[in-house]
Amino acid sequence: MTLDEAKAKFIQTWGGLGAQWGINKTMAQLHALLFIASEPLSTEDIMDTLQISRGNVNMNVRELIDWGLVQRVNKTGERKDYYNAEKDVWKIAKLIVRERKKRELEPIIGVLDDLGKIEGDKESSDYIAFIDSMSRLKNFSETLNNSVDKMIKADENWLTGFFISMLKK
Amino acid sequence: MTLDEAKAKFIQTWGGLGAQWGINKTMAQLHALLFIASEPLSTEDIMDTLQISRGNVNMNVRELIDWGLVQRVNKTGERKDYYNAEKDVWKIAKLIVRERKKRELEPIIGVLDDLGKIEGDKESSDYIAFIDSMSRLKNFSETLNNSVDKMIKADENWLTGFFISMLKK
DNA sequence: CTTTGTTTTCAATCATTTTTGAAATATCAA
DNA sequence: TTGATATTTCAAAAATGATTGAAAACAAAG
């Protein structure tokens, strides 16, 4: 396998993985491309490499910028925009986790909270079972949320350090 | 909000959340329905509640069984199959993590390993940069993989206990 | 201003995924 | 066996999601 083939395979694999996690395949491929690029790339560079339209590049780059995974950079004396991705794997993980927490975990906690406060016959076993389900789920979500907060603030050794501490048990 | 409205809202919310994580919306709704059901449900029960076809129920129930989240149960003297979901939130989390690890994390580690062994000019900065990216990503993936292994074996207090230990720092 | 190069938007199109529903298959009881 | 009930399969249809591309908006330079 040559370097170019390897790069292509990485972009493909990353795209497929993204798709399994509810991320637009093109967005994941674009992220992979920028991740392994040693220089910031222009819209044209991306269009050529991934064989996609200008509009598609624009949409997905914007989304990656929203996630904090990509920055727009300007080369002096050039009019075009160039795009550069975060290269530190640990920082990437934190950005993704932070964003999913904000977009998904926090809202679900709000919903679970509401669902725990319904009216009804408080003696009914149906009622009790439902409230109980919601409360266990909310408890789990809050613990997860708190752990994620810590993880976001922690440094790169958190996961490794944690793994080592688990090994000792 | 009445109990029935709350149940419907929970099913809807859970379905939407699943969709964002690359899980078929109907599968997530079905899981939600079985999760809050106090009794195992039949195919008809599910068809009625979620307003979906028999074939759709069958497909998604099979998938949930594959994930280990649902079991088929037989009521004595009844010919129909009934379906029952795991109710313990911690066990559910472990089943999902275990499955995604097997289906996604382990394969990507294999790919990253291959991509780290390409031929080419070992002096070229392009070559070095790519190998380095793959190696950092592989290292991260393996650490994650090891942590997930521990998590799967750990008990319900792992997350809570870990959270508390982080708080002390 | 006006020109030129660049980015953004978005309705229409295309591709993929999901769902249906009826036929085929399986299972049980008489 | 046979008939009755239940489950599974899968091709076709429907729904959803992604992509295009050309026009509009924007921005810098002359």
Side-chain angles (χ1 to χ4, degrees):
Chain A
M1 188 160 38
T2 68
L3 181 56
D4 283 350
E5 283 165 352
K7 285 182 175 179
K9 181 167 184 187
F10 176 67
I11 289 167
Q12 281 307 114
T13 307
W14 205 242
L17 203 66
Q20 294 192 281
W21 284 79
I23 287 150
N24 179 317
K25 195 181 73 175
T26 301
M27 179 172 149
Q29 289 183 339
L30 187 22
H31 180 239
L33 172 61
L34 292 175
F35 174 71
I36 57 176
S38 32
E39 291 291 302
L41 302 181
S42 70
T43 299
E44 263 93 14
D45 295 333
I46 297 165
M47 287 168 69
D48 289 352
T49 312
L50 301 183
Q51 292 290 317
I52 58 176
S53 72
R54 185 175 298 282
N56 202 0
V57 172
N58 191 268
M59 270 189 65
N60 284 293
V61 155
R62 191 189 324 102
E63 186 77 9
L64 285 168
I65 292 173
D66 280 352
W67 281 71
L69 293 166
V70 166
Q71 296 90 37
R72 209 182 288 268
V73 295
N74 288 297
K75 292 195 180 176
T76 44
E78 282 245 38
R79 235 162 112 180
K80 271 201 197 98
D81 284 347
Y82 286 79
Y83 304 102
N84 184 48
E86 172 61 53
K87 298 293 192 300
D88 181 326
V89 179
W90 177 247
K91 280 188 190 162
I92 293 170
K94 288 209 285 190
L95 286 167
I96 293 171
V97 166
R98 188 186 66 181
E99 213 56 25
R100 294 205 96 143
K101 164 193 153 81
K102 191 167 69 192
R103 294 180 192 202
E104 294 150 20
L105 189 53
E106 286 172 6
I108 188 76
I109 290 173
V111 172
L112 291 172
D113 201 40
D114 289 349
L115 294 178
K117 291 180 204 148
I118 53 166
E119 53 204 65
D121 175 5
K122 293 183 175 51
E123 307 294 302
S124 133
S125 67
D126 235 32
Y127 178 92
I128 294 168
F130 182 75
I131 297 283
D132 189 49
S133 290
M134 293 305 103
S135 135
R136 283 178 293 119
L137 201 47
K138 184 167 168 243
N139 184 61
F140 177 84
S141 305
E142 280 172 341
T143 306
L144 186 59
N145 197 35
N146 287 330
S147 299
V148 162
D149 280 343
K150 295 295 157 191
M151 179 267 193
I152 287 167
K153 283 178 196 148
D155 71 6
E156 186 159 9
N157 295 319
W158 177 89
L159 196 56
T160 310
F162 171 62
F163 169 54
I164 290 164
S165 85
M166 284 301 304
L167 267 180
K168 289 180 186 155
K169 291 196 178 170
Chain B
M1 190 160 36
T2 69
L3 181 55
D4 283 350
E5 285 165 351
K7 286 181 174 179
K9 180 164 184 189
F10 176 69
I11 290 168
Q12 281 306 115
T13 306
W14 205 240
L17 204 64
Q20 293 192 282
W21 284 78
I23 288 149
N24 180 316
K25 193 182 74 174
T26 301
M27 179 172 148
Q29 288 182 341
L30 187 20
H31 180 239
L33 172 61
L34 292 174
F35 174 72
I36 58 175
S38 34
E39 291 291 303
L41 302 182
S42 70
T43 299
E44 264 91 14
D45 294 335
I46 298 166
M47 286 169 69
D48 289 351
T49 314
L50 301 184
Q51 291 290 318
I52 57 176
S53 72
R54 184 175 299 281
N56 201 2
V57 172
N58 192 268
M59 271 189 65
N60 284 295
V61 156
R62 188 183 334 95
E63 186 78 9
L64 285 167
I65 292 173
D66 280 353
W67 280 71
L69 293 166
V70 166
Q71 295 91 39
R72 206 182 290 269
V73 295
N74 289 297
K75 292 195 180 175
T76 45
E78 280 246 39
R79 212 139 136 211
K80 274 203 195 90
D81 285 347
Y82 287 79
Y83 305 103
N84 183 47
E86 171 60 53
K87 299 293 193 299
D88 180 326
V89 181
W90 177 245
K91 282 187 188 161
I92 293 171
K94 288 209 283 191
L95 287 166
I96 293 172
V97 167
R98 189 185 67 182
E99 214 55 26
R100 295 205 95 143
K101 164 195 154 79
K102 192 166 70 193
R103 294 180 192 202
E104 294 150 20
L105 189 53
E106 288 172 5
I108 187 80
I109 290 172
V111 172
L112 291 172
D113 203 39
D114 289 350
L115 293 179
K117 291 180 201 146
I118 54 167
E119 53 203 63
D121 175 5
K122 291 183 177 52
E123 307 295 302
S124 130
S125 68
D126 235 32
Y127 178 90
I128 294 168
F130 182 75
I131 296 284
D132 189 50
S133 291
M134 292 306 103
S135 137
R136 282 177 293 120
L137 202 46
K138 186 168 167 244
N139 183 63
F140 177 83
S141 305
E142 281 171 342
T143 305
L144 185 59
N145 197 36
N146 288 330
S147 300
V148 162
D149 280 343
K150 296 293 156 193
M151 178 266 193
I152 288 168
K153 285 178 196 148
D155 72 6
E156 186 159 8
N157 295 319
W158 175 88
L159 195 56
T160 310
F162 172 61
F163 168 55
I164 290 163
S165 85
M166 282 303 302
L167 267 179
K168 288 180 186 155
K169 288 191 181 173

